[in-house]
């Protein structure tokens, strides 16, 4: 069940901004208050969850399109590949608050800034997996296709992409789950989503808000993870991957 | 049909030639086999013909046309290619794999389907069983057959085959070779065939090209190569047992007629008669056939001693292994050694008895030669 580890880490990351969850959650008062809070504000919570989902989906869809295209292109240019991957790597290690702060002068406060930042974070896993998925195909398979007279475009669409799909899917899953967590922080620049609950909770010392926000984020992360994991398996079963060559 | 003129290849960043000033002409309908030790440039030479590698120097003509200035895709679509590593597409079924070239040529679906089934039968894979399987669910030998079927499905006039029978056991290999020769007889394709098995080269080819370190050492017919190796390298390559290697060159039907073998006996032959026939037989065995001349079994001297009935049908034994008359004498020898018998029964494709080859017959052939 290793694929639950990433979302769980996210749970902690989302909650890290201030709660001393472990100490106080044992106070039965907090649990009761949290349940009360959910009952009272279910509309708001639902709305923020949808907003959060929306933020993640928009960012991931755009990021996947861009990254897959970039990944394919660099698979043809070995030299540029290392530079591009290195750049994506740098983007990913910028702390999220710094990244968001950096985006504000460019895109102002709001949804767009959040989306752009999330896109930048999710580039690396998808670009890298697309690139390696294609590069690590058995050369014999590609050469057989070439030798029989398939055009480069046909080789790409009929052979390379289908065979690399499981690896690309794994990259998308990693990116999505990661971005769900980071999206909570995007509330800081007014991008909306469950992060708002967490940030407000922190400033008002309202523990139930923080807990609800954190749990909501993990639920979304787990749901995505489950869905995409299922998707991966589905593709793998259809595609029968695995090298079929012998010396 | 294929003409290489002064072809050289130096890979980028390397000092040595992978192939050096190679001149070669292959006639239409011929099988030309490239042999030589690992790394001598066989695969490189072959890949320059369909331009997976561009030659550093030299010219290539295919059917009189300058191949180096031809449209790459057009050129390749008309050259069947069996890659050394087989290279089946793991995400496609066998049918889809074999249909690759027809799909690239935009054949109508029906025609493709028919042709795929036809070549699958030709290489001995039942379409009903294998069509919808994925390559992962095939044995090594079956994959190689798919590789060959995929290369020949669109009837290319030229085929390049890089060790197409590399990954199978010797018996299956011999069978595939014979099937291949049978197919080739009907098709008359121009074939460049790579192997580093000299026996395979002798068996399959009209001409053999022996290569060493990127150069041609000798280009000759198999029997010339055996009788007059150009230098020590070639004679080492063909090995010491050159007269035994000749067994590769002779097919069973070529000597079967001259042998005038003891006739087979029908199933209802009486014991007395069988005794007489056994005495006449050099191998001390007689073959039993049914009314349709299909091979049923064999009776040896020992079977007669322990007989359990009065006619042949009561006590004949199963025949362990038979061989078809288009196999080579060397195949016959392999079967004999395999079964530990001094003879092997020859049958046609309907299992009808045609004769028996004995170890003595093989020895005679070898003796005549040397
Ligand atoms: N793509 C390549 N890049 C660089 N060098 C290569 C490449 N392909 C082959 N060579 C070199 O060229 C030489 C000839 O190789 P080639 O593959 O033609 O040998 P071969 O005769 O087919 O050997 P084998 O019987 O092992 O298949 C070798 O020295 C090899 O290292
Ligand atoms: Mg080779």
């Amino acid at each position: 069940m290793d694929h639950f580890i990433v979302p769980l880490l996210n749970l902690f990351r989302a909650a890290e901004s201030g709660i001393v969850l472990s100490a106080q959650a044992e106070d039965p008062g907090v649990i009761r208050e949290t349940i009360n809070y959910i009952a009272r504000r279910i509309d708001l919570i639902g709305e923020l969850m949808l907003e959060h989902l929306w933020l993640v989906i928009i960012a991931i869809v755009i990021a996947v399109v861009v990254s897959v295209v970039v990944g394919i292109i660099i698979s043809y240019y070995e030299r540029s590949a290392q530079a591009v991957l290195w750049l994506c790597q740098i983007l990913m290690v910028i702390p999220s608050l710094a990244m968001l702060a950096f985006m504000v002068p460019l895109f102002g406060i709001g949804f767009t800034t959040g989306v752009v930042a999330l896109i930048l974070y999710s580039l690396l896993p998808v670009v890298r997996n697309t690139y390696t998925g294609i590069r690590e195909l058995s050369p014999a398979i590609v050469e057989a296709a070439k030798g029989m007279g398939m055009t480069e475009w046909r080789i790409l669409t009929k052979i390379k992409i289908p065979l690399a799909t499981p690896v690309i899917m794994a990259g998308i899953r990693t990116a999505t789950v990661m971005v769900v967590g980071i999206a909570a922080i995007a509330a800081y620049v007014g991008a909306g989503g469950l992060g708002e609950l967490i940030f407000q909770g922190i400033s008002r010392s309202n523990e139930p808000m923080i807990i609800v926000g954190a749990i909501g984020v993990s639920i979304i992360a787990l749901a995505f993870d489950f869905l995409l994991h299922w998707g991966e398996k589905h593709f793998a079963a259809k595609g029968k991957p695995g090298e079929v060559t012998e010396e | 049909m294929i003409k290489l003129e002064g072809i050289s290849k130096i890979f980028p960043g390397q000092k040595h030639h992978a192939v050096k000033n190679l001149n070669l002409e292959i006639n239409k309908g011929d099988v030309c086999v490239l042999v030589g030790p690992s790394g001598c440039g066989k695969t490189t030479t072959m890949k320059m013909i369909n331009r997976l590698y561009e030659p550093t120097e030299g010219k290539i003509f295919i059917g009189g046309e300058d191949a180096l200035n031809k449209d790459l895709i057009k050129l390749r679509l008309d050259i069947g290619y069996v890659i050394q590593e087989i290279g089946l597409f793991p995400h496609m079924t066998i049918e889809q794999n074999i249909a690759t070239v027809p799909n690239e040529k935009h054949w109508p679906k029906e025609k493709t389907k028919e042709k795929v089934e036809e070549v699958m039968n030709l290489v001995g894979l039942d379409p009903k069983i294998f069509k919808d399987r994925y390559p992962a669910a095939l044995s090594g030998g079956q994959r190689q057959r798919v590789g060959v079927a995929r290369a020949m499905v669109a009837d290319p006039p030229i085929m390049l085959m890089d060790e197409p029978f590399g990954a199978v056991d010797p018996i299956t290999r011999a069978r595939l070779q014979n099937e291949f020769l049978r197919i080739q007889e009907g098709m008359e394709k121009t074939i460049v065939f790579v192997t580093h098995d000299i026996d395979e080269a002798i068996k399959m080819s009209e001409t053999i090209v022996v290569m060493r370190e990127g150069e041609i050492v000798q280009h000759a017919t198999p029997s010339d190569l055996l009788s007059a190796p150009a230098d020590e390298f070639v004679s080492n390559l063909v090995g010491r047992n050159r007269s035994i290697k000749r067994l590769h060159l002779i097919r069973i039907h070529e000597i079967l007629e001259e042998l005038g073998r003891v006739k087979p006996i029908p199933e209802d032959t009486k014991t007395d008669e069988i005794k007489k026939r056994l005495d006449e037989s050099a191998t001390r065995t007689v073959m039993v056939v049914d009314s349709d001349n299909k091979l049923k079994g064999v009776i040896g001297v020992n079977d007669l001693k322990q007989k359990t009935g009065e006619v042949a049908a009561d006590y004949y034994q199963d025949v362990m292994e038979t061989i078809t008359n288009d196999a080579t004498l060397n195949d016959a020898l392999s079967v004999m050694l395999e079964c530990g018998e001094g003879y092997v029964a020859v049958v046609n494709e309907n299992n009808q008895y045609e004769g028996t080859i004995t170890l003595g017959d093989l020895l005679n052939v070898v003796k005549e030669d040397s």
Side-chain angles (χ1 to χ4, degrees):
Chain A
M1 283 286 122
D2 70 310
H3 64 285
F4 282 117
I5 291 174
V6 181
L8 283 177
L9 281 177
N10 269 310
L11 168 63
F12 293 132
R13 191 193 287 191
E16 83 197 346
S17 343
I19 17 165
V20 207
L21 195 62
S22 55
Q24 283 163 5
E26 288 176 14
D27 174 5
V30 174
I31 296 177
R32 199 172 344 106
E33 276 173 46
T34 306
I35 295 171
N36 277 341
Y37 181 81
I38 295 176
R40 247 185 310 126
R41 306 304 305 270
I42 188 73
D43 288 352
L44 174 71
I45 297 171
E47 205 175 294
L48 289 176
M49 256 183 131
L50 278 182
E51 216 171 66
H52 201 99
L53 263 180
W54 189 231
L55 189 61
V56 170
I57 290 174
I58 295 268
I60 285 295
V61 168
I62 297 175
V64 165
V65 172
V66 174
S67 313
V68 169
V69 171
V70 170
I72 288 170
I73 292 174
I74 62 175
S75 75
Y76 287 99
Y77 301 97
E78 183 65 32
R79 286 222 192 99
S80 66
Q82 294 317 317
V84 170
L85 288 173
W86 180 74
L87 200 74
C88 294
Q89 183 114 40
I90 297 231
L91 285 175
M92 206 164 104
V93 297
I94 299 176
S96 29
L97 278 176
M99 170 85 95
L100 288 164
F102 186 67
M103 291 280 126
V104 172
L106 296 172
F107 300 98
I109 295 266
F111 191 75
T112 319
T113 311
V115 169
V116 174
L118 295 188
I119 290 174
L120 292 182
Y121 275 115
S122 39
L123 289 178
L124 180 68
V126 186
V127 172
R128 196 217 291 119
N129 279 34
T130 307
Y131 171 76
T132 43
I134 289 178
R135 294 296 302 207
E136 278 174 12
L137 286 183
S138 150
I141 291 175
V142 178
E143 200 171 86
K146 252 192 207 168
M148 284 189 293
M150 290 177 82
T151 60
E152 196 49 57
W153 175 252
R154 294 271 298 174
I155 294 175
L156 182 66
T157 52
K158 291 270 156 185
I159 311 285
K160 288 183 175 174
I161 294 180
L163 283 175
T165 297
V167 187
I168 298 175
M169 288 287 289
I172 295 176
R173 184 161 66 100
T174 311
T176 311
V177 172
M178 182 184 73
V179 154
V180 171
I182 300 179
I185 299 166
Y188 183 69
V189 293
L194 288 166
E196 278 188 14
L197 281 183
I198 298 174
F199 281 115
Q200 281 183 29
I202 293 170
S203 61
R204 294 190 211 159
S205 299
N206 184 337
E207 277 153 23
M209 279 178 95
I210 302 175
I211 294 173
V212 169
I215 291 177
V217 169
S218 348
I219 289 176
I220 294 178
L222 284 170
F224 269 121
D225 191 60
F226 182 79
L227 207 73
L228 291 171
H229 192 70
W230 176 84
E232 257 171 70
K233 272 197 178 151
H234 181 70
F235 267 107
K238 225 169 128 186
K240 298 264 176 201
E243 314 259 290
V244 181
T245 59
E246 56 229 87
E247 293 308 310
Chain B
M1 187 70 180
I2 303 176
K3 196 168 165 197
L4 309 183
E5 270 182 23
I7 289 291
S8 293
K9 177 72 186 175
I10 306 174
F11 284 104
Q14 290 191 357
K15 283 194 209 88
H16 292 283
H17 283 79
V19 168
K20 195 170 175 186
N21 190 23
L22 195 119
N23 292 290
L24 181 61
E25 202 169 337
I26 304 167
N27 294 330
K28 190 167 169 3
D30 275 5
V31 179
C32 174
V33 176
L34 310 180
V35 276
S38 193
C40 69
K42 306 180 293 292
T43 299
T44 306
T45 304
M46 177 170 274
K47 284 183 184 172
M48 284 192 284
I49 297 175
N50 66 1
R51 286 174 59 199
L52 282 170
Y53 296 156
E54 295 287 342
T56 315
E57 258 180 273
K59 286 195 167 138
I60 298 177
F61 297 95
I62 291 177
E65 272 183 283
D66 181 358
L68 296 180
N69 288 318
K70 210 178 156 181
D71 177 68
L72 204 54
I73 300 299
K74 244 195 213 144
L75 176 86
R76 288 174 181 166
L77 283 177
D78 287 331
I79 300 180
Y81 181 44
V82 183
I83 179 174
Q84 189 166 8
E85 299 86 355
I86 309 180
L88 298 185
F89 306 138
H91 61 306
M92 295 187 188
T93 62
I94 301 309
E95 181 175 26
Q96 291 165 336
N97 262 286
I98 298 177
T100 304
V101 176
N103 287 342
E104 293 307 301
K105 289 187 158 186
H106 307 293
W107 283 14
K109 286 236 154 49
E110 268 311 301
K111 184 180 169 194
T112 304
K113 206 167 141 52
E114 259 170 47
K115 197 65 204 194
V116 166
E117 293 196 356
E118 188 188 317
V119 285
M120 282 188 77
N121 283 320
L122 214 52
V123 299
L125 290 171
D126 185 348
K128 277 197 229 69
I129 301 172
F130 292 104
K131 209 172 60 158
D132 297 323
R133 285 207 197 167
Y134 286 92
L138 261 56
S139 74
Q142 289 165 343
R143 280 180 212 154
Q144 288 198 315
R145 289 164 193 247
V146 175
V148 173
R150 184 171 71 167
M152 60 188 235
V153 65
D155 258 327
I158 293 174
M159 304 246 295
L160 307 178
M161 308 176 81
D162 201 344
E163 302 201 27
F165 310 134
V168 291
D169 64 279
I171 298 266
T172 313
R173 177 183 260 229
R175 201 162 287 157
L176 283 175
Q177 288 167 346
N178 293 333
E179 282 169 18
F180 170 83
L181 289 170
R182 197 196 68 229
I183 296 167
Q184 165 66 1
E185 215 162 286
M187 301 233 210
E188 289 285 300
K189 294 186 184 307
T190 308
I191 294 172
V192 184
F193 191 108
V194 166
T195 178
H196 43 221
D197 175 358
I198 186 72
D199 293 313
E200 185 168 65
I202 291 169
K203 182 172 172 182
M204 310 292 286
S205 64
E206 261 77 35
T207 62
I208 297 181
V209 173
V210 180
M211 292 181 67
R212 176 178 53 177
E213 289 169 16
E215 291 180 276
I216 294 183
V217 187
Q218 186 170 14
H219 181 193
T221 63
S223 70
D224 285 350
L225 197 77
L226 288 173
S227 51
D231 62 11
E232 201 164 324
F233 176 76
V234 180
S235 56
N236 279 336
L237 187 79
V238 294
R240 240 168 257 116
N241 309 316
R242 276 190 269 143
S243 44
I244 289 185
K245 291 217 153 65
R246 269 185 197 284
L247 295 178
H248 286 292
L249 289 173
I250 303 168
R251 313 225 145 243
I252 289 173
H253 61 78
E254 290 170 40
I255 66 162
L256 205 56
E257 306 224 318
E258 302 165 19
L259 289 176
R261 184 81 23 240
V262 186
K263 288 229 158 40
I265 54 173
E267 288 173 284
D268 58 2
T269 311
K270 297 250 165 45
T271 302
D272 286 344
E273 172 69 9
I274 296 175
K275 256 190 198 134
K276 218 168 87 203
R277 298 291 297 273
L278 274 174
D279 287 339
E280 290 165 14
S281 157
T283 58
R284 319 246 96 208
T285 53
V286 285
M287 297 295 160
V288 183
V289 296
D290 66 8
S291 54
D292 203 20
N293 201 32
K294 287 211 164 78
L295 185 62
K296 301 300 287 185
V298 56
I299 296 178
V301 182
N302 288 335
D303 301 324
L304 207 59
K305 281 185 199 142
Q306 302 155 5
K307 71 185 163 68
T308 48
E310 288 314 311
V311 291
D314 297 329
Y315 50 87
Y316 66 69
Q317 305 290 313
D318 287 338
V319 181
M320 275 205 279
E321 187 74 69
T322 59
I323 198 161
T324 50
N325 62 9
D326 57 353
T328 65
L329 296 189
N330 193 68
D331 297 334
L333 181 62
S334 305
V335 172
M336 287 180 209
L337 295 177
E338 194 87 354
C339 305
E341 300 277 5
Y343 66 91
V344 57
V346 183
V347 295
N348 66 11
E349 57 272 24
N350 299 321
N351 199 34
Q352 282 165 322
Y353 179 70
E354 304 234 311
T356 302
I357 295 275
T358 67
L359 211 47
D361 301 334
L362 300 183
L363 283 178
N364 285 337
V365 171
V366 173
K367 251 189 255 151
E368 268 169 39
D369 258 21
S370 45

